[in-house]
Structures are given as structure tokens and as C-alpha cells.
């Protein structure tokens, strides 16, 4: 039954994949860059997601620059030079910013250590009280 | 109750509280522009609203930044749908007239709006002394790192961005910036 | 007039609340037990008074009494009645009033139900709830006064925020959120009550609040899903989650509450993790207050943040007091909460619960640090940075797939200890589900490693959880000769807690599949077309039939009528719209969504020529998105199974 469900499920999805518009490569690269840039007028969304007029225009700029042969990094650098690092939806991983990437990893590592120690202790010592 | 432990636990949250206290004094919507001090992006935009003599330019003329070298440029982005643009319109228009004959150039840039709406708006607001240009696709607006309207950029005589004002400008700040930029240029 | 009445009832409620708060410690310390009924009476009276205030506001809104400041702020004669009533929680002041009302109601109910219990736990819990109520009453007479008197009464008002009067879900999402958020203060108050009354060594506080915690969790889950749905149906970008600070604020306490639901079982079974559980309950409450602070104070930028005044400082003071006091209380009592139990084996459900708690907590921590990091970066380095979707996706995906995996392992492993054979027999078969889903994902074209892992582990967990039902049903079928339907019914009824949990797991798996599929296989296309022209995507073709406009009392609407083509035949129409509200600079979109079992066709009107000669249409194919909403329903259903009083399903109670 599950097999049927899965087949059904992904058949529809697969057909969705094959139908891509003609200039799909440029569109996909634009989407890739645009989803990393923050929409200035809506604040939370990327310019890829935001339906606002300015976002559409910024997407057009991204597309034009990519078409003109700029690399995604160069396009991002252009927007940083105009709007500051704020425009990046993901902070660059250097300096102080490393903290926000490292802290969760440190927490998980420490937590795993604590769990290993605790489980070892709780399984070894016989019940007291 | 173990007071020592209690105290240590309480101390741990103090930095967090200080951080929040600091945060309350800041406005997250205020984002400093990286542009002041850098060369302004060149533009060549078409006039749609001529302005009034003696500042008038014929509709269809192209205003190029390159042609304005040696002059202080006040670049004001606006739109007819923008409410706070109404607050600064009269001040900008009048101040531009006051500087006639000086090496200062005022340009209005229409942002995400139909020229016809812009023309109608200028009429309703009682005219605008300096010309306004269109910015198709907001290319120039993006070049200037625009967040919204109104925003006003003050360019020095060497074509560098000296200052960016977010929101409506007042007369004092226009005069202060234009006067000091002219003084620097004269040296 | 109504404003004055409401204002006075809030003032009186403050006096009553203050009395109740003081009466409890006096009663306990001085041995004056006779005072405790008065403290309880204060809780009921507070509920009555806040109800009067809330009803006055509804009355003022409905009668368009623009002399009341809140009505002048959000009311409008043109707004339909329905949206007028729900604008009670549409802006800051009203939402605080609604919050205070929900809190007073919860306090009244929980005290009413437990008032006969001997000991000091309930009185102290009541005092804690009154303390929180007192804070909200201060807000209501201070920085968030909705009943201010307007001197210059206008004949009409601007109406509610357009984003909030554009969709029916706005009537559902905020109340669910408040009910869930505020619900977390009940277990918190009992945890604090347990510590203050010295009853922390017995687990009564947890037993009393188990149903409250579950209900609050279910409401919060529903609220989060409803919020996603609202965002999907109203914002026009085709997504449902943007890691906006407001969304994070609702999600963060959900994570710790989820962790608590699991670790509470370890405490019930083995008498362990007492200190940890206390921390989770207190932490969850703190995080609900923190979330409210973040969104109501304007401290982090967010689409939905309400405009602010001085309210942030009040919240900061309250958070500071609550954080300092409750953490000090927990730490001060920590020695009495030492674990006394032991584990029989590392290969047990207990261990999986520990891992589940670690990853849920780490998830919470990741989202919290990400949300607060821009603030820290500005404070310490003086630079403005953004932390948005790409960051949160990168950091949370590994955690999410791990949690999905654990969701399959946990139910499969028995309590105490599993033998090697048992481990094999339990953990290997779900691999069938895992490989099926993996192959399915690969065939569908997914290459992203996290997407594939998500499909794999979702398959694993789905198989494992369904198998638990199957094993139980088969046992009943063979042992008692019950029919399969009866077996399932009695199985669930016999252990609602466990099977409610498995049902919730299945809901989460559906949500996870929906999210994984829609973010992996989503395709979109945008084009500017003239009437008569078509736009196609993923085998769907839409033809622009016409552009139209219409004036409504409160707004102007521009829409595009698109025909859904099936070859040459027209197979229905879709009408994405743009709504122009006089008080809003940018239009509010209403995308058109056509749902099917496998996904949605999502169409948004991006831009148009005023003369109707062309329209820019964005068309998105969103695979499995309806599964997210359905999965949310399954989660809530699972919680309901666990909440329902014993006997509703079977007429008898059994603990397995």
C-alpha cells in the first residue's frame, strides 16, 4: 500500500520537474542568488520570495548581472556595496559572526557528552534510596 | 533554598537583560548606508516633469551625472503614492529656488510610479521648481541603495556621495549640507 | 461610557489581584488557612472584571464608539462586522486585553478544578498566576491602554491593518496562539507553586498540569500551522515560513514544550529528570514572555511587529523579574531534585528521550541565538547584520532530520532495556519504509542530501509508528478475537497517552513530508501576459481571460481572471487579486490557490497595467503543501486523544 502511495506521490512531482521554462538555467541561478538577498522593504523575506515591486526590480538586476557574466559572488558584492552586509540573509562566516554558527554545534557536542556520561553513570551504579 | 546557587543562576541572565535593554534604545529599521564617502553611481535619466524657469529642463532631455561635475547635486527620490513626500515637497522646491545661480543642482527621481501620476501630483502640490526624471526598473534607485521613499542623497562636487537622508528632509539640513559642500568645493 | 466602565473594572481588578497575591503567603506563613478561599475568590473576581473589560471593548468596536482610543485606531464603519469583532486582537492594546482575559479565565478554571486539594501547592500556583495577571493589568492601564478617551472624536476610523482583515484565518491564528502561549503559564505557575510550597519532591504539580500542558501544546501547534497557512494565503509569496522573528517567537516555546512532553514521561516512569523538567517548564513560560517581548517591543525588525511605545520597558522589567526569580528558585531548589532513579540499559526508550530532548533544546537554542544575533552583533561589533532563511535552513536541517530519525527509533524501543534480538526486530523493519521513501525521493529527482535524508527518516518514522499500531491491533485480534476496527479503537482507548503520541508523530511526519517536498520540488514561473495569452508551468496552463476592478466599501480590488486549461477545454477559473486599502501604501495580495492531493497550483498577481492591457502573473507549483495543513490537524487530533478524560473511549482505564 505504501508502495502505491509513494509511486503516486512522486509520479506527480516528477512530471513537475520535467516541465521547466526555456531559460531555466538563468532563472535558477537568479533564484539562487536572489534567495540570499534580503528585501529592503519587507525586511523578513528574500527578494526571491517577496512579491514587492522593488524586489522584482532587484531580481531583474541580479538576472542582468548574471547574464552579463558576473559570478554570484560579484553580484552579492554589488548589493553589499550598496546596502551593506545587512542585505545578506545569512551573515558571512567570519570573525564575530562565527559565534552564531558555532554555539549550536558546541551545545550539541556538550549535550552528547553529558548524555553519554549520565547514561553510563545511571546504568552502572545500583539504585540508591 | 540554596542561596549561593540561586545567586549564580540569577547572575547568568543579567547579560541577556542588559542586551535587551540596549536593544530597546535602538531602532532595527534604521540601517546605515555604506555609500557616503564613495563615488556616486553614474546615471542618465530622462526628464518627464520640466520644472519651472530658471531651473526648467525640457521633457525628454537626459540628465547625466557626468554633466554635473563640479556641482553639488541633491538627488531626491519620491513618488506620488508616498505620503511623507508631501511633507518635504514645498521645502525642497523653495530651497532649490534660493540656490539659483549657485553651483547646486536639484534633481527629483520618480520611484516606482507612472510619470502621468507624478505630473498630476506636482500639479496638485503647486508645482516643483526643479525637474524630475524617470527611473525605469528602479535601476538608479538600487544603485543608490534605496530602501523606500523619500530618500535624499547629497553629492559633492567631485561626484562622491556625502550624505544620505532617509525620510523627509527639513530646510535646515538641506542648507547645512549644500552650504558646506559648496564651501569644500570652493577651496 | 463603556471606556470608563472597562477602565474602572481593570483598576478594581488590580486591587483584587494584589490582595489575592498577598493573601496566599500570609495565609501559609501565619497559618491562616481561612484566608485561602479569599485568595481563590480574588482569582474568580479578576476573571469577572477582565471579562467585563473585554466585553466592553467588543461592544465599543461593534457600536463604532470612536471616543474609545482603540476603536479610533482600528475601527472603521466600512469594515465588515466579522472583522470588526476580531480586530479585538488586531493591534497591540487589544491583543494585551485579550491576553489578560485568557489568562484570567485559565486561572479561574484551574483554581476551580483544584481548589479542594489540600496543601499549599494550589494557593501558590494561584498567587503566581495572579502575579502574571497583575503585570498585564499594569500594561492595560499604562502603555497599552485600549480605553483611552479620545478628545476629538472623529466620525470614522482607519480600519484594521489590511493584512489582518484580508483573510478568515486571522480570526483563528491569533486566538489559538494566545490560548497556547497563555496556557503555558498554568504549568509554570504550578511548577513555581511546587517550589514555593516545598512540594517539589512529589510529582503532583506535573500530574495536575499534564492536561493543561498538552492542551497548550496542541493549541500552540495549531496556531503555528494556522499562522503558516495564513502567511501562505495572504502574503502572496507562495511560502509559509520565512523564519521571521515573530514566527520564531511562536516556534521557540513550542520546541521546549515538546521536549517537556517527552521528558515528563521519563519522570513519570522512572522518577528521573525532575530538575530538567522543572527547567523546561519554567523555560517554556519565559520563552513565551520573551517572544511577546520581541514582537511587541519592536526590538527586532519583523514584518508583523506592532508599532511601539514604552511597552518594551515594561516587558523588560517583567522579564527581568521573572527570569531572575524563577531561575534563582530552580537553582536554589536544585539539590532537592537530584535524580534517584537509574537506567537499566543504554538501549532503551529512556535514552532516546534524552537525545530527543537534546536536539529539541539545541533547535530552540539555534533559533533563539539566530533571532537575537543581529542585536548582539550591533551591541558588540556595531554592525547591522541579518539572520534569515538561508542561515536557519542550514543550521536546522541537520537537527530536523535527526529528530525525524529519533521519532522512528523512540517508539520502536521498549522502556528499560532491549535485548540485541529485540533491537534488531524492532529497528530493522522500519528500514523498509526508509528505503521506499528514499527511492521515491531519488526517482522524483531530489539530489539534495537533506531532502533525501528527510524523506528517508520520514519513511522510517512513519513505518515505525504505524507498526506500533499494527502490533497492538494484531495482539488484540489474536488474543481476544476482536475485529480490526474494534481492536484499533480499544487499543487507543487502553493507552490514549501512548497512541495519542504516535498519532501526533504521524501528523508531524506529514508536515515534514509536505515541507521537504515543497521546498525540494517547488517550481515557479513569472511572466507578463496580455488577455488571451497563456502561461504554463509543470503541465498546468492558465489563460488570462480578463482583468477587472471593483470598489468595495473598505477597499478597491483589482483582479485577473485566469482560465485553467485542460487541452482546449476550460477547467475552472482562478482569480488572484490585489487589494488597495486607503490607509496602506502597498497593495495587499490575495493569491489564488487550487489544491489537489499532490500539491497546490498557486497564482499571484504581481503587477498590472492600469488600463488592463497586461498582467504580470507568478505561478508556482507547490507539491504536497496541503499535507502540511492536514498534518497539523492530525497532530492536534493526536493531542486530543491523549487529553480526553479516561473512559470517553472505552469506559475503563488501563495503564500499559
Amino acid at each position: 500500500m505504501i508502495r502505491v502511495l509513494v509511486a503516486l506521490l512522486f509520479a506527480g512531482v516528477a512530471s513537475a520537474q520535467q516541465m521547466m521554462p526555456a531559460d531555466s538555467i538563468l532563472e535558477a541561478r537568479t533564484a539562487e542568488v536572489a534567495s540570499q538577498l534580503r528585501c529592503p522593504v519587507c525586511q523578513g523575506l528574500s527578494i526571491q520570495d517577496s512579491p514587492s515591486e522593488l524586489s522584482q526590480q532587484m531580481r531583474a538586476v541580479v538576472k542582468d548581472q548574471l547574464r552579463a557574466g558576473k559570478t554570484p559572488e560579484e553580484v552579492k558584492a554589488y548589493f553589499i556595496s550598496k546596502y551593506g552586509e545587512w542585505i545578506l540573509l545569512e551573515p558571512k562566516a567570519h570573525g564575530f559572526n562565527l559565534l552564531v554558527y558555532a554555539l549550536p554545534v558546541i551545545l550539541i557536542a556538550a549535550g552528547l557528552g553529558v548524555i553519554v556520561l549520565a547514561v553510563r553513570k545511571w546504568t552502572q551504579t545500583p539504585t540508591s534510596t | 533554598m540554596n542561596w549561593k546557587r540561586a545567586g549564580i543562576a540569577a547572575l547568568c541572565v543579567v547579560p541577556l537583560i542588559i542586551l535587551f535593554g540596549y536593544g530597546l534604545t535602538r531602532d532595527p529599521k534604521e540601517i546605515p548606508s555604506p555609500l557616503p564617502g564613495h563615488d556616486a553611481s553614474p546615471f542618465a535619466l530622462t526628464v518627464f516633469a520640466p520644472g519651472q524657469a530658471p531651473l526648467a529642463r525640457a521633457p525628454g532631455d537626459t540628465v547625466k551625472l557626468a554633466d554635473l561635475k563640479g556641482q553639488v547635486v541633491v538627488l531626491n527620490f519620491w513618488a506620488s503614492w508616498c505620503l511623507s513626500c508631501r511633507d518635504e515637497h514645498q521645502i525642497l522646491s523653495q530651497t532649490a529656488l534660493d540656490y539659483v545661480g549657485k553651483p547646486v543642482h536639484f534633481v527629483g527621481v520618480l520611484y516606482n510610479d507612472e510619470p502621468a501620476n507624478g505630473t498630476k501630483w506636482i500639479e496638485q502640490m503647486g508645482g516643483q521648481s526643479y525637474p524630475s526624471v524617470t527611473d525605469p526598473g528602479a535601476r538608479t534607485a538600487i544603485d543608490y541603495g534605496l530602501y523606500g521613499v523619500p530618500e535624499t542623497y547629497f553629492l559633492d562636487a567631485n561626484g562622491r556621495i556625502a550624505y544620505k537622508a532617509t525620510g523627509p528632509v527639513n530646510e535646515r539640513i538641506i542648507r547645512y549640507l549644500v552650504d558646506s559642500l559648496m564651501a569644500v568645493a570652493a577651496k | 461610557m463603556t471606556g470608563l466602565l472597562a477602565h474602572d473594572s481593570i483598576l478594581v481588578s488590580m486591587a483584587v489581584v494584589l490582595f489575592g497575591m498577598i493573601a496566599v503567603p500570609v495565609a501559609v506563613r501565619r497559618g491562616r488557612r481561612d484566608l485561602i478561599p479569599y485568595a481563590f475568590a480574588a482569582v474568580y473576581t479578576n476573571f469577572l472584571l477582565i471579562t467585563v473589560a473585554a466585553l466592553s471593548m467588543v461592544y465599543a468596536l461593534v457600536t463604532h464608539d470612536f471616543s474609545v482610543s482603540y476603536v479610533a485606531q482600528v475601527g472603521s464603519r466600512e469594515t465588515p462586522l466579522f472583522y470588526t469583532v476580531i480586530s479585538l486582537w488586531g493591534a497591540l492594546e487589544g491583543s494585551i486585553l485579550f491576553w489578560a482575559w485568557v489568562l484570567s479565565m485559565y486561572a479561574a478554571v484551574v483554581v476551580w478544578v483544584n481548589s479542594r486539594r489540600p496543601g499549599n501547592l494550589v494557593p501558590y500556583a494561584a498567587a503566581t498566576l495572579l502575579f502574571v495577571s497583575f503585570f498585564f493589568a499594569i500594561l492595560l492601564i499604562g502603555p497599552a491602554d485600549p480605553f483611552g478617551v479620545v478628545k476629538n472624536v472623529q466620525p470614522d476610523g482607519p480600519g484594521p491593518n489590511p493584512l489582518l482583515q484580508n483573510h478568515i484565518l486571522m480570526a483563528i491564528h491569533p486566538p489559538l496562539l494566545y490560548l497556547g502561549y497563555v496556557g503555558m503559564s498554568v504549568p509554570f505557575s504550578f511548577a513555581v507553586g511546587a517550589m514555593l510550597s516545598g512540594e517539589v519532591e512529589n510529582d503532583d504539580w506535573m500530574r495536575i498540569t499534564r492536561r493543561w500542558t498538552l492542551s497548550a501544546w496542541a493549541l500552540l501547534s495549531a496556531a503555528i500551522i494556522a499562522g503558516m497557512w495564513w502567511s501562505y494565503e495572504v502574503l502572496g509569496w507562495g511560502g509559509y515560513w520565512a523564519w521571521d522573528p515573530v514566527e520564531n517567537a511562536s516556534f521557540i516555546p513550542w520546541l521546549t514544550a515538546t521536549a517537556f512532553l517527552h521528558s515528563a514521561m521519563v519522570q513519570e516512569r522512572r522518577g528521573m529528570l525532575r530538575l530538567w523538567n522543572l527547567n523546561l517548564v519554567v523555560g517554556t513560560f519565559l520563552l513565551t514572555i520573551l517572544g511577546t517581548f520581541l514582537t511587541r517591543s519592536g526590538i527586532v525588525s519583523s514584518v508583523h511587529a506592532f508599532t511601539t511605545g514604552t511597552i518594551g520597558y515594561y516587558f523588560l522589567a517583567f522579564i527581568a523579574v521573572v527570569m531572575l526569580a524563577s531561575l534563582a528558585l530552580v537553582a536554589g531548589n536544585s539539590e532537592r531534585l537530584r535524580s534517584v532513579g537509574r537506567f537499566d540499559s543504554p538501549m532503551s526508550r529512556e535514552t532516546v528521550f534524552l537525545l530527543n530532548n537534546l536536539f529539541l533544546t539545541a533547535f530552540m537554542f539555534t533559533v533563539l541565538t539566530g533571532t537575537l544575533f543581529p542585536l548582539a552583533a550591533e551591541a558588540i561589533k556595531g554592525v547591522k547584520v541579518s539572520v534569515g532563511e538561508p542561515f536557519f535552513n542550514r543550521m536546522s536541517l541537520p537537527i530536523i532530520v535527526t529528530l525525524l530519525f529519533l521519532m522512528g527509533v523512540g517508539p520502536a524501543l521498549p522502556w528499560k532495556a532491549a535485548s540485541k534480538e529485540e533491537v534488531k526486530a524492532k529497528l530493522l523493519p522500519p528500514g523498509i519504509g526508509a528505503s521506499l521513501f528514499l527511492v521515491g525521493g531519488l526517482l522524483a529527482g531530489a539530489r539534495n542530501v537533506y531532502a533525501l535524508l528527510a524523506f528517508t527518516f520520514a519513511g522510517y518514522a512513519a513505518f515505525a509508528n504505524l507498526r506500533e499500531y499494527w502490533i497492538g491491533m494484531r495482539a488484540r485480534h489474536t488474543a481476544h478475537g476482536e475485529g480490526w476496527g474494534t481492536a484499533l479503537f480499544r487499543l487507543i482507548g487502553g493507552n490514549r497517552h501512548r497512541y495519542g503520541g504516535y498519532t501526533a508523530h504521524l501528523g508531524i511526519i506529514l508536515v515534514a513530508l509536505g515541507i521537504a517536498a515543497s521546498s525540494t520540488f517547488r517550481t515557479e514561473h513569472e511572466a507578463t501576459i496580455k488577455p488571451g495569452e497563456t502561461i504554463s508551468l509543470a503541465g498546468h496552463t492558465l489563460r488570462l481571460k480578463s482583468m477587472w476592478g471593483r470598489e468595495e466599501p473598505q477597499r478597491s480590488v483589482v483582479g485577473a481572471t485566469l482560465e485553467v486549461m485542460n487541452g482546449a477545454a476550460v477547467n475552472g477559473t482562478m482569480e488572484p487579486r490585489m487589494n488597495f486599502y486607503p490607509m496602506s501604501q502597498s497593495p495587499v495580495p490575495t493569491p489564488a490557490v487550487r489544491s489537489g492531493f499532490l500539491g497546490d497550483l498557486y497564482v499571484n498577481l504581481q503587477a498590472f497595467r492600469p488600463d488592463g492591457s497586461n498582467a504580470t502573473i507568478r505561478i508556482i507549483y507547490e507539491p504536497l503543501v496541503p499535507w502540511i495543513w492536514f498534518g497539523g490537524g492530525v497532530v492536534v487530533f493526536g493531542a486530543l486523544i491523549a487529553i480526553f478524560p479516561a473512559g470517553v473511549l472505552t469506559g475503563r482505564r488501563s495503564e500499559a
Side-chain angles (χ1 to χ4, degrees):
Chain A
M1 195 211 86
I2 291 177
R3 197 189 300 269
V4 176
L5 184 73
V6 171
L8 259 176
L9 162 64
F10 291 110
V13 173
S15 68
Q17 280 279 295
Q18 287 147 14
M19 288 291 296
M20 291 269 269
D23 55 344
S24 60
I25 295 170
L26 182 63
E27 205 162 322
R29 289 182 68 209
T30 306
E32 168 79 26
V33 176
S35 57
Q36 296 173 49
L37 297 172
R38 183 169 181 172
C39 156
V41 286
C42 29
Q43 308 243 335
L45 293 178
S46 69
I47 60 169
Q48 172 65 20
D49 288 335
S50 162
S52 77
E53 203 169 357
L54 183 58
S55 293
Q56 295 177 43
Q57 290 157 338
M58 287 170 81
R59 276 207 300 277
V61 170
V62 172
K63 201 171 189 171
D64 282 358
Q65 294 196 354
L66 286 174
R67 191 185 285 133
K70 278 201 186 183
T71 65
E73 281 313 307
E74 286 168 342
V75 178
K76 280 193 268 176
Y78 164 79
F79 280 98
I80 295 171
S81 76
K82 301 304 181 191
Y83 286 92
E85 260 196 65
W86 179 91
I87 198 84
L88 291 182
L89 270 170
E90 184 172 41
K92 280 186 183 168
H94 65 72
F96 183 70
N97 291 352
L98 281 174
L99 216 54
V100 75
Y101 291 94
L103 283 175
V105 180
I106 294 171
L107 181 84
I108 292 178
L112 283 175
V114 168
I115 288 179
V116 167
L117 288 178
V119 170
R120 188 176 290 171
K121 189 179 134 207
W122 289 338
T123 46
Q124 276 167 1
T125 50
T127 319
S128 53
T129 14
Chain B
M1 191 81 178
N2 181 332
W3 289 103
K4 198 173 146 205
R5 276 166 183 258
I8 293 169
L11 276 181
C12 294
V13 299
V14 169
L16 204 55
I17 293 167
I18 294 174
L19 181 67
F20 293 148
Y22 165 82
L24 284 177
T25 66
R26 316 291 301 176
D27 180 2
K29 296 225 166 67
E30 200 183 287
I31 298 121
S33 170
L35 290 174
H38 291 92
D39 283 340
S41 301
F43 58 79
L45 300 170
T46 312
V47 174
F48 76 94
Q52 299 153 344
L55 298 173
R57 292 283 296 265
D61 268 13
T62 304
V63 177
K64 279 196 198 128
L65 181 63
D67 297 344
L68 302 174
K69 203 114 207 221
Q71 295 193 50
V72 172
V73 178
V74 179
L75 204 59
N76 172 251
F77 288 86
W78 65 278
S80 70
W81 45 261
C82 149
L83 291 177
S84 42
C85 294
R86 289 160 199 262
D87 300 343
E88 60 171 13
H89 171 264
Q90 186 60 38
I91 297 158
L92 274 165
S93 190
Q94 186 55 49
T95 316
L97 279 180
D98 293 349
Y99 281 96
V100 168
K102 305 249 172 65
V104 182
H105 203 94
F106 283 70
V107 183
V109 186
L110 190 69
Y111 167 75
N112 279 345
D113 203 352
E114 295 287 324
N117 294 342
T119 314
K120 205 159 66 187
W121 187 81
I122 289 176
E123 216 171 279
Q124 281 168 4
M125 299 296 294
Q128 192 172 39
S129 61
Y130 53 89
S132 271
V133 296
T134 53
D135 178 17
R139 293 296 163 119
T140 305
I142 295 168
D143 262 345
Y144 281 78
L146 191 95
Y147 283 97
V149 275
E151 280 183 17
T152 310
Y153 297 79
F154 295 85
L155 279 50
D156 70 14
N158 299 319
R160 260 200 298 268
I161 295 179
Y163 188 81
K164 169 185 171 179
T166 313
V169 283
N170 59 43
E171 191 181 342
R172 237 187 56 212
I173 193 132
I174 307 173
R175 285 186 182 281
Y176 171 75
L177 285 165
V178 171
D179 288 345
S180 43
L181 289 176
M182 282 198 309
V184 172
K187 264 185 204 164
Chain C
M1 188 48 221
T2 39
L4 215 58
L5 172 72
H7 214 274
D8 287 349
S9 60
I10 291 171
L11 280 175
V12 176
S13 85
M14 287 180 75
V16 170
V17 165
L18 203 58
F19 162 77
M21 259 160 63
I22 296 167
V24 171
V26 169
V28 174
R29 295 270 155 106
R30 298 270 164 87
R32 295 276 310 271
R33 297 282 311 174
D34 55 316
L35 279 178
I36 284 176
Y38 290 100
F40 290 169
V43 173
Y44 306 140
T45 316
N46 181 45
F47 171 49
L48 280 180
L49 289 166
I50 303 291
T51 305
V52 168
L55 286 179
S56 315
M57 178 52 76
V58 173
Y59 179 74
L61 280 167
V62 172
T63 56
H64 300 294
D65 182 352
F66 292 109
S67 67
V68 174
S69 60
Y70 187 71
V71 181
Q73 185 194 334
V74 303
S76 153
R77 292 185 191 278
E78 278 73 44
T79 309
L81 177 66
F82 177 73
Y83 289 103
T84 297
V85 174
I86 67 169
S87 60
L88 173 61
W89 50 73
L92 175 73
E93 292 84 357
S95 70
I96 298 284
L97 177 61
F98 185 69
W99 183 303
W101 179 73
V102 173
L103 180 63
S104 70
M105 174 183 69
Y106 279 174
V109 174
V110 80
V111 166
W112 179 261
V113 173
N114 295 295
S115 58
R116 304 241 171 121
R117 188 189 178 280
N120 300 324
L121 170 63
V122 181
Y124 270 120
T128 310
L129 285 167
L130 287 175
F131 173 73
V132 182
S133 288
F134 191 68
F135 167 67
F136 279 91
I138 291 177
L139 293 183
L140 285 174
I141 57 156
D145 181 3
F147 298 104
V149 180
V150 178
K151 291 214 182 73
N152 201 347
V153 181
Q154 302 292 316
D156 203 349
N161 181 340
L163 275 179
L164 308 186
Q165 54 168 312
N166 222 14
H167 201 278
I168 179 90
L169 277 167
M170 210 49 214
I172 298 167
H173 164 65
L176 283 176
L177 185 67
Y178 295 133
L179 287 165
Y181 251 38
V182 185
M184 296 300 174
S185 46
V186 174
F188 165 77
S189 68
F190 274 78
V192 170
M195 288 186 279
L196 287 174
S197 62
E199 291 192 38
V200 76
E201 282 104 335
N202 74 43
D203 295 342
D204 270 15
W205 70 270
M206 244 175 67
R207 231 163 280 141
I208 292 174
T209 56
R210 184 183 84 85
R211 235 167 241 153
W212 284 92
T213 318
L214 260 173
S215 322
W217 179 85
L219 287 161
L220 194 52
S221 312
I224 292 170
I225 298 283
M228 290 161 82
W229 203 353
W230 173 79
S231 164
Y232 183 71
E233 297 273 354
V234 167
L235 298 180
W237 58 284
Y240 37 77
W241 190 263
W243 296 104
D244 183 86
V246 169
E247 295 165 344
N248 296 351
S250 64
F251 187 48
I252 290 170
W254 184 87
L255 288 168
T256 47
T258 310
F260 173 72
L261 290 183
H262 291 92
S263 65
M265 286 185 261
V266 180
Q267 181 170 340
E268 282 164 11
R269 285 268 177 166
R270 318 292 320 244
M272 301 173 81
L273 300 184
R274 283 208 168 82
L275 180 59
W276 174 246
N277 284 331
L278 212 55
N279 271 308
L280 282 178
V281 167
V282 170
T284 302
F285 173 74
L286 287 176
L287 290 170
T288 61
I289 298 290
L290 180 68
T292 318
F293 168 68
L294 289 180
T295 52
R296 294 296 184 274
S297 68
I299 192 169
V300 285
S301 66
S302 159
V303 224
H304 321 253
F306 289 141
T307 42
T308 54
T310 52
I311 192 164
Y313 292 95
Y314 287 77
F315 259 107
L316 182 62
F318 180 66
I319 288 188
V321 169
V322 177
M323 273 211 283
L324 291 170
S326 51
L327 288 179
L329 207 51
V330 173
N333 280 292
S334 60
E335 275 162 358
R336 300 200 295 180
L337 294 162
R338 279 280 148 76
S339 281
V340 288
R342 61 183 298 271
F343 277 21
D344 296 286
S345 154
M347 286 313 283
S348 62
R349 191 175 286 185
E350 288 91 318
T351 315
V352 183
F353 278 145
L354 292 184
L355 291 171
N356 143 306
N357 264 250
L358 170 64
F359 282 95
L360 283 170
T361 314
F363 201 170
M364 176 278 288
F365 182 75
T366 309
V367 180
L368 186 63
T369 39
T371 309
L372 294 179
F373 186 72
L375 197 59
E378 196 183 351
I380 294 167
K381 302 293 285 183
V383 283
K384 292 260 188 188
V385 295
S386 303
V387 178
E389 196 174 344
F391 169 85
F392 287 110
N393 285 348
R394 178 197 302 275
M395 298 300 283
S396 60
L397 282 172
I399 300 177
I400 291 172
V401 294
T402 311
L403 283 168
L404 274 175
F405 176 61
L406 291 174
M407 207 158 77
V409 177
L413 282 184
W415 288 97
K416 295 194 172 170
S419 66
K420 269 215 178 103
E421 294 70 46
E422 224 176 338
V423 169
K424 254 192 211 159
K426 283 290 206 170
L427 293 189
L428 286 184
I432 301 171
S435 21
L436 276 177
F437 275 53
L438 173 65
V439 171
L442 282 168
L443 285 180
R447 292 296 175 267
N448 177 293
V449 62
Y450 286 118
L452 290 172
L453 282 175
F455 288 127
T456 309
F457 291 148
Y460 188 85
F463 195 104
N465 282 278
L466 285 171
R467 188 156 178 258
E468 289 304 302
Y469 284 97
W470 167 245
I471 291 172
M473 281 162 69
R474 198 182 46 192
R476 295 195 75 97
H477 179 72
T478 41
H480 308 298
E482 292 169 352
W484 292 110
T486 321
L488 174 64
F489 204 65
R490 296 225 171 118
L491 178 73
I492 295 174
N495 196 340
R496 292 161 296 102
H497 206 162
R498 172 189 289 184
Y499 290 98
Y502 294 161
T503 307
H505 282 173
L506 292 174
I508 297 280
I509 292 166
L510 287 173
V511 172
L513 281 174
I515 294 174
S518 62
S519 42
T520 314
F521 303 122
R522 172 186 152 127
T523 49
E524 60 178 276
H525 181 50
E526 187 177 316
T528 304
I529 53 176
K530 297 192 181 78
E533 290 180 341
T534 60
I535 177 171
S536 298
L537 174 80
H540 300 271
T541 301
L542 298 177
R543 184 168 66 195
L544 180 60
K545 189 180 173 202
S546 60
M547 298 286 301
W548 47 268
R550 77 168 172 252
E551 289 295 325
E552 292 179 11
Q554 79 278 22
R555 63 184 181 189
S556 320
V557 182
V558 173
T561 300
L562 293 145
E563 291 169 323
V564 184
M565 308 301 291
N566 186 4
V570 175
N571 198 359
T573 57
M574 295 178 80
E575 294 197 333
R577 310 192 306 260
M578 251 190 212
N579 310 289
F580 295 84
Y581 289 86
M583 277 304 145
S584 161
Q585 285 192 358
S586 44
V588 178
T590 302
V593 182
R594 202 177 155 95
S595 290
F597 176 69
L598 288 174
D600 286 351
L601 194 61
Y602 187 103
V603 180
N604 194 43
L605 177 60
Q606 303 277 101
F608 59 87
R609 274 277 177 75
D611 60 6
S613 63
N614 73 34
T616 304
I617 304 284
R618 189 177 206 174
I619 167 170
I620 310 175
Y621 186 70
E622 314 246 19
L624 303 198
V625 163
W627 292 32
I628 302 175
W629 324 138
F630 180 71
V634 175
V635 170
V636 174
F637 181 66
L640 284 179
I641 293 178
I643 291 166
F644 258 101
V648 167
L649 284 170
T650 53
R652 63 197 156 91
R653 191 195 173 93
S654 72
E655 292 291 327

